[in-house]
Amino acid sequence: MTQIAISAARSQLGDLVRRAAHSRETIALTDHGHVAALLVSPQVIEDFEDALAVADFQRRKAEGALEPGIPMAEVRRRLGLEIR
């Protein structure tokens, strides 16, 4: 993770944002030597949220706490996608 002082980041903000967005590099903005904020690609956050959702599903499945699902044939019927 790259660290840069907020004061130095001001003049480089556009470049720093592009680095975070395109290379998935996390950039820490520091204030008096302490990390104050992170520049992170939205894709990294989306991947993290997906991983959390999968982990939550697996936990609920292991606990037997999932509601019964709808069979694929019923979903297709409700959406008017029945194969004829």
Side-chain angles (χ1 to χ4, degrees):
M1 173 170 36
T2 302
Q3 292 191 11
I4 186 167
I6 293 171
S7 57
R10 282 189 182 101
S11 64
Q12 304 174 49
L13 187 58
D15 290 334
L16 293 171
V17 168
R18 282 186 283 283
R19 280 172 50 188
H22 299 297
S23 69
R24 296 175 65 127
E25 178 182 359
T26 299
I27 299 171
L29 302 177
T30 62
D31 188 22
H32 301 288
H34 300 284
V35 175
L38 299 173
L39 292 176
V40 181
S41 167
Q43 187 61 50
V44 170
I45 300 301
E46 290 172 10
D47 292 348
F48 180 68
E49 290 172 340
D50 289 347
L52 283 175
V54 169
D56 182 54
F57 170 80
Q58 291 172 337
R59 178 191 55 80
R60 289 184 296 129
K61 183 178 179 182
E63 292 173 350
L66 291 177
E67 297 292 324
I70 300 172
M72 181 58 81
E74 177 64 14
V75 171
R76 290 178 144 298
R77 186 191 68 73
R78 290 182 186 185
L79 294 174
L81 300 173
E82 290 186 56
I83 299 174
R84 297 173 192 223

